[in-house]
Each structure stands twice: as C-alpha cells, then as structure tokens.
Amino acid sequence: MSFSTDAAFADLAAQGPGDALPFYEIEGQILELWDQLNELRLEKALLEAQDTVPTGNMSAWVPNAMADLHLPVQQPSTDEELNAQLKIAEKECLEARATYSLKQSVVEDVLIVDPVLKAVHSGLKATRTERALHPLVDRRDTLEISHTNLSSTLQMLSKEAAMLSADNIRAMEKNRALTTTLVALAKKVQAQRDEATKDPRFSAQLDGLRNDAGTVRQRWRIMKSVVAAVIAGSGVDWAQDDTLRDLVLDEEDEAD
C-alpha cells in the first residue's frame, strides 16, 4: 500500500472535536481502587509464596528485608546445595510471576473487551458510554490497518536493503579483484617500458618517433593557421557557423 494511502488512514484516525470520551471523577476513583486491589493481590501472593517455602531453603534466597520475620533458617552445607536451592527458588518465582501475570491479563482483557463488544454489536441497546466508545474503536481499527501496512512495507524494505547490501559486498569483492589485476598489468607494462628504454635500439627508435611526431605536429599547426586565416579573410560569416568558428577561434594548446 502506498504512502498516500497510509497518510489517508492516519488523517481518518486523527482525533476530532467531540470524540473524547467523558471521564468522571468517580471513574477515576474506581481505577485507583482497582490499582490498590492489584497491589494487595500481589502482596498476598508474595506472602503465600513465603509461607510455602521450606525453612531450610530460606537462607538461600530470602532478602535482608525479611530478616525481621525471625524464621528458623538452616545454612546449606555445600555450594552445590546452595546453587540447587537458588535454582529451585528462581524457578518457583518465575512460575508464580507467570501465573499472576496470566490471571491479571485475563481479567483486564475481559474488562476491556466486554464494553468494546457491546459498543460495536449492541446497536440501539448500547448505553451512552458504550456508544461513546464506538468512534474510538473505529479509530483504533483504522490505526491497526495503517500499522499493518507500514509493518509490511518496512519488512519489504528491510529485505531489499539486505539484498542490496549483499550485492554491494559482491561488487566490492569484484572491484578488489579487478584492481589487483589492473595493478599487476600496470607493473608488467612499466617493466616492459623500462626494458625497452634500456635497449639502445628501442631508445633510438623512440627518439626518432618523437622527432617525427614533432614535425607532423608543427605541420598541422601551420595548416590550421592557414585555414583559419583563409576563413577569416574570405568574408564568410564564420561566427554563425559552429565548425568555422571553432577553426578560427580554437587556440593551440602548447602542451600538446
């Protein structure tokens, strides 16, 4: 899905005036009592866990804050027993935490899902609060669709980026191999050039070729100057023709 479509979803889900759900003071008090109830449940679970731990294992994991309970403790005889007791206590702690989290999650899901279902499916029988939830549910669903589309796009782009990164690594390795070959060829050519320069026969031929090239270049300059002078003095409007203008105005590069 395109970016414009996702932007349209985001605009559709934008909060508008009058969509805010009214929140009364008594509802805030109910939520505070709900939090306190959860804290009491957690403290109760901790106390129950403390009561179920064998007294011989208390010294292996009981915190310093529990020292005021004056429970009889028994020191483990070896480090192996201490490690075994720690593992058992850790396992029991994780199990208790998982059980408590699961119960809490189930209760919260029931409290959240029930009014949402009534807001969507009750129709005319829905209460005022449930009807006020309906536009918020629609906005949530719209944002979930947009989030799903963006996640799919991100996955696709991440996959393409990984493929391009792999291609880039292969290209770098190929360039490195080509560079090594080029350096080897350059050294070989330089060695041949040095060898030819040291040979008197090749040196004489090279000097002759340089002289011939200088002579040809000088003749070419003279002919070019003559042609430019002829064009300039012929009365032809050479300034309007690109070829003639280049012949007349082209300056000789002395470095050649």
Side-chain angles (χ1 to χ4, degrees):
M1 190 170 290
S2 63
F3 175 78
S4 59
T5 305
D6 292 328
F9 272 118
D11 293 338
L12 183 62
Q15 185 173 1
D19 289 341
L21 186 66
F23 193 78
Y24 301 101
E25 182 179 358
I26 188 173
E27 294 173 345
Q29 295 176 356
I30 292 174
L31 292 178
E32 290 180 359
L33 293 175
W34 172 255
D35 293 337
Q36 294 178 7
L37 179 60
N38 288 332
E39 292 179 359
L40 292 175
R41 287 175 178 172
L42 179 58
E43 293 178 0
K44 178 182 177 182
L46 292 175
L47 292 175
E48 291 176 352
Q50 294 170 9
D51 292 338
T52 57
V53 174
T55 56
N57 296 340
M58 288 294 292
S59 61
W61 61 278
V62 64
N64 294 332
M66 300 291 295
D68 295 337
L69 295 177
H70 302 292
L71 294 175
V73 295
Q74 179 180 356
Q75 295 293 339
S77 58
T78 62
D79 293 339
E80 289 76 8
E81 293 181 0
L82 176 61
N83 293 330
Q85 292 174 3
L86 286 174
K87 290 181 180 179
I88 294 174
E90 182 179 2
K91 181 180 179 181
E92 293 177 352
C93 179
L94 291 176
E95 290 178 352
R97 180 179 179 182
T99 302
Y100 175 80
S101 299
L102 180 60
K103 291 180 179 179
Q104 187 70 14
S105 177
V106 170
V107 173
E108 290 182 354
D109 288 343
V110 171
L111 293 177
I112 293 173
V113 171
D114 184 65
V116 171
L117 292 177
K118 290 181 179 179
V120 175
H121 299 290
S122 293
L124 298 177
K125 297 181 180 180
T127 63
R128 180 180 178 181
T129 304
E130 293 169 351
R131 288 195 299 270
L133 282 175
H134 198 280
L136 300 178
V137 174
D138 291 340
R139 183 179 296 111
R140 181 205 62 181
D141 295 340
T142 304
L143 289 176
E144 286 182 352
I145 295 174
S146 179
H147 180 267
T148 301
N149 295 332
L150 291 175
S151 298
S152 301
T153 304
L154 179 60
Q155 264 187 340
M156 181 181 63
L157 293 177
S158 299
K159 185 177 180 180
E160 292 179 358
M163 295 176 61
L164 291 175
S165 179
D167 293 340
N168 186 37
I169 293 174
R170 287 192 291 266
M172 291 175 62
E173 293 177 351
K174 184 177 180 180
N175 289 339
R176 190 179 297 109
L178 292 176
T179 302
T180 304
T181 304
L182 182 61
V183 171
L185 291 175
K187 291 181 178 179
K188 185 177 180 181
V189 171
Q190 185 64 35
Q192 293 176 353
R193 183 179 299 174
D194 295 339
E195 183 179 357
T197 304
K198 294 177 182 179
D199 193 336
R201 294 176 302 172
F202 289 111
S203 180
Q205 292 180 2
L206 183 61
D207 292 338
L209 291 174
R210 288 175 179 172
N211 293 332
D212 294 341
T215 303
V216 173
R217 185 177 300 169
Q218 186 175 7
R219 291 178 180 176
W220 179 79
R221 289 175 180 173
I222 294 173
M223 293 177 62
K224 182 180 178 183
S225 299
V226 172
V227 172
V230 171
I231 295 174
S234 64
V236 178
D237 189 8
W238 52 268
Q240 301 298 326
D241 188 278
D242 294 338
T243 305
L244 297 179
R245 185 172 62 252
D246 292 339
L247 288 173
V248 175
L249 299 180
D250 186 20
E251 297 182 357
E252 184 64 31
D253 189 359
E254 296 296 335
D256 294 338

